[in-house]
Amino acid sequence: METMKKKVYLGSDHGGFELKNVLAAHLREQGWETEDLGCYSAESCDYPDFAAAVGRAVTANEGTLGLLVCGTGIGMSLAANKIPGVRAAVCGDVYSAKMTRRHNDANILCLGARVTGPGLAEEIADAFFSSSFEGGRHARRVAKIAELETR
Ligand code: RB5
């Protein structure tokens, strides 16, 4: 399912810095607008800082999506999912990337640069960013995820 090209906020720590840059160039080549919220070098840094920045940007700007890259993608997803309204999904395969947009309305893709090579990462990103939420029965379920934030 195709969607309109939108803005993608990017973030990484040192472990994901190189892959983030590869994916940023790949997304821009395909017409996506990107904004990199850091980190800006391969110097050691703390992934929650960048997960928070991207999570806040995505939830503050309706219709935008995010991409977070660390060593495994897991730390980024754990941190980003603390921000209300974020649905961050770690994906290591193309099918999950497509389905988490279609069924979970995931708004941030998390990738692990020490797990997933650049070729597969590009295919995963393509699947995620070109898919859109199906709504219907899935909207009820996603609403139940949001309800958990207030309990
Ligand atoms: C940094 O060494 C590493 O812990 C981080 O990139 C990430 O994999 C955490 O989940």
Side-chain angles (χ1 to χ4, degrees):
M1 191 177 290
E2 284 299 309
T3 181
M4 297 268 293
K5 299 256 189 250
K6 296 176 190 164
K7 182 165 182 173
V8 179
Y9 290 99
L10 309 172
S12 75
D13 69 354
H14 53 288
F17 179 67
E18 197 178 329
L19 180 59
K20 176 186 68 179
N21 289 337
V22 168
L23 293 172
H26 179 73
L27 289 171
R28 284 195 298 270
E29 268 170 27
Q30 298 187 11
W32 294 93
E33 182 187 351
T34 63
E35 184 173 339
D36 189 352
L37 301 180
C39 63
Y40 303 114
S41 80
E43 196 176 319
S44 183
C45 58
D46 299 336
Y47 58 83
D49 297 341
F50 307 100
V54 169
R56 290 186 179 121
V58 167
T59 53
N61 295 281
E62 200 180 336
T64 63
L65 295 169
L67 171 66
L68 287 167
V69 192
C70 64
T72 60
I74 296 170
M76 283 296 196
S77 69
L78 293 175
N81 279 316
K82 294 291 184 188
I83 309 278
V86 165
R87 289 175 300 280
V90 188
C91 295
D93 66 274
V94 168
Y95 180 78
S96 297
K98 185 169 62 179
M99 297 313 290
T100 198
R101 285 285 298 131
R102 288 186 183 179
H103 286 189
N104 312 131
D105 199 16
N107 50 14
I108 298 181
L109 171 65
C110 299
L111 290 168
R114 296 171 184 159
V115 181
T116 305
L120 178 57
E122 286 184 354
E123 290 190 17
I124 290 170
D126 288 345
F128 184 90
F129 291 110
S130 68
S131 298
S132 52
F133 186 45
E134 289 177 3
R137 67 188 185 281
H138 303 296
R140 182 181 68 243
R141 296 162 186 165
V142 171
K144 287 187 176 183
I145 296 175
E147 277 175 30
L148 296 173
E149 286 169 357
T150 59
R151 290 185 189 171

